[in-house]
Amino acid sequence: MDYIDYYKTLGVEKNASQNEIKKTFRKLARKYHPDLNPNDNTANQKFQEINEANQVLSDPEKRKKYDEYGENWKRADEFEAHRQQQQQQYQYQQTENGSDFSDFFESIFGRKTNVGGRNRGSTGYRGQDYNVELTVPLREAARTHKQILAVNGKNIRITVPAGIANGQVIKLNGHGGVGMSGGLAGDLYITFVIPEDDLFKRVGNDLYITVSLNLYTAILGGEQTVDMLDGKVKLKIKPETQNATKVRLKGKGFPVYKKEEQAGDLIITYSIDIPTKLTERQKELFMELQNLH
């Protein structure tokens, strides 16, 4: 069975209250209900998905099983029964059918682990790996900082290193699902999502920015203030600067991952603004310049 993230389907956090889940479902149901979208197959499919998610998450018992077993939540009772039966067999040293139960556990959880080199009675089954996405704005991704990540109702404090890339995955050992029968916990895989910034475009560790330059400064020269990630810088403009002129500031770009003392470059492209709403006198002056030229 393919894993369906019911929390993502409804658009709620994993620690959302029952009341929040109820309100969110009602809002989405009104939007995608088939009666309101009779000829919209996409809306009808969406309604089925949110309805399925609500049936699980609105039921505390089903939600508990889903949080614990993920895509295998429907087999939770079956698994618990087998686990109890296995433990009883261990207690009475009836190991002749142990392989059958191991096959059952492995069919659900895959790998098995031997904890501390102990005997078969201590052999456990590794917990499920979790995958989450964490959205970090570009400017925050440029500095090392702490964040709280909610996973299955638990808050995990993580350190986000400066220079993290969009789509980069970091693994946290032992922060996944709980192991069974003494097995190791699964791992947590965090995929970082860094949205486009309103000023800067990131390419590798280089940053690109387009800066407007008025016509008079471009012709006569002067100074121009330019934004950087960590402040502003005042640059000298050469006379007769052309449109689309590029200037590179070494080491003023994005930090290199886990090497904050190193950074890419900031590449500035000047875009010359043509003045509008000229007065008659200004037009006359431009015409004089044209004639002189």
Side-chain angles (χ1 to χ4, degrees):
M1 173 186 290
D2 292 334
Y3 177 65
I4 301 175
D5 190 334
Y6 290 140
Y7 291 101
K8 189 174 183 179
T9 299
L10 285 182
V12 298
E13 299 293 335
K14 291 189 177 181
N15 59 353
S17 66
Q18 290 297 116
N19 188 48
E20 184 179 353
I21 290 173
K22 183 178 181 180
K23 288 182 177 179
T24 303
F25 169 70
R26 286 182 174 178
K27 180 179 179 180
L28 293 174
R30 286 194 295 269
K31 179 178 180 181
Y32 294 107
H33 197 283
D35 291 345
L36 301 178
N37 304 274
N39 300 315
D40 191 336
N41 293 331
T42 301
N44 291 341
Q45 177 65 30
K46 181 67 175 178
F47 180 79
Q48 294 177 15
E49 293 173 358
I50 61 175
N51 189 50
E52 178 182 344
N54 179 65
Q55 288 178 357
V56 175
L57 299 184
S58 63
D59 185 318
E61 189 64 27
K62 290 181 180 179
R63 183 180 181 182
K64 180 180 178 182
K65 293 177 181 178
Y66 174 76
D67 288 343
E68 180 72 20
Y69 297 99
E71 67 267 33
N72 301 294
W73 71 273
K74 292 182 179 180
R75 302 180 65 185
D77 292 338
E78 180 184 358
F79 172 74
E80 287 297 331
H82 277 272
R83 186 177 71 162
Q84 292 175 10
Q85 187 174 2
Q86 186 198 42
Q87 290 174 341
Q88 291 174 359
Q89 286 192 333
Y90 286 157
Q91 183 177 357
Y92 292 103
Q93 297 182 347
Q94 298 175 351
T95 60
E96 62 272 18
N97 294 323
S99 60
D100 294 334
F101 292 108
S102 296
D103 291 342
F104 170 76
F105 290 132
E106 289 186 22
S107 71
I108 296 181
F109 292 100
R111 292 171 287 176
K112 64 179 180 179
T113 59
N114 188 282
V115 181
R118 290 176 284 176
N119 59 21
R120 183 179 179 86
S122 298
T123 299
Y125 291 81
R126 188 177 180 277
Q128 180 183 3
D129 289 337
Y130 292 157
N131 294 275
V132 298
E133 288 187 350
L134 179 60
T135 299
V136 180
L138 181 72
R139 296 165 193 261
E140 289 187 20
R143 59 182 179 84
T144 298
H145 64 282
K146 306 284 187 182
Q147 278 201 284
I148 302 296
L149 189 62
V151 180
N152 271 12
K154 297 180 180 180
N155 290 332
I156 302 175
R157 186 178 180 85
I158 65 172
T159 298
V160 181
I164 201 79
N166 183 49
Q168 186 170 342
V169 179
I170 289 181
K171 181 176 75 171
L172 297 183
N173 295 326
H175 286 280
V178 177
M180 308 307 296
S181 300
L184 298 175
D187 298 327
L188 173 63
Y189 292 86
I190 305 172
T191 300
F192 288 87
V193 178
I194 304 178
E196 292 289 334
D197 187 75
D198 55 350
L199 282 180
F200 300 101
K201 178 178 177 60
R202 179 185 177 187
V203 179
N205 292 316
D206 290 335
L207 291 176
Y208 291 79
I209 184 173
T210 299
V211 175
S212 295
L213 198 63
N214 70 66
L215 178 64
Y216 312 105
T217 302
I219 294 175
L220 302 175
E223 292 183 337
Q224 179 68 37
T225 300
V226 176
D227 288 303
M228 299 190 300
L229 280 179
D230 57 353
K232 297 178 182 292
V233 62
K234 186 173 289 187
L235 301 179
K236 288 187 176 182
I237 307 300
K238 295 180 180 180
E240 301 179 6
T241 293
Q242 301 297 305
N243 187 54
T245 294
K246 287 182 170 54
V247 175
R248 181 183 294 266
L249 300 185
K250 292 284 188 179
K252 298 299 182 181
F254 207 76
V256 177
Y257 180 64
K258 290 191 174 180
K259 295 181 180 179
E260 293 187 52
E261 70 281 1
Q262 300 180 28
D265 300 335
L266 175 63
I267 294 91
I268 304 162
T269 301
Y270 290 126
S271 175
I272 299 176
D273 288 337
I274 304 299
T276 59
K277 299 181 180 179
L278 298 176
T279 66
E280 290 302 318
R281 177 56 181 157
Q282 288 173 326
K283 291 178 182 179
E284 290 176 2
L285 291 173
F286 272 110
M287 291 179 66
E288 288 182 22
L289 288 172
Q290 182 181 39
N291 292 333
L292 289 173
H293 183 70

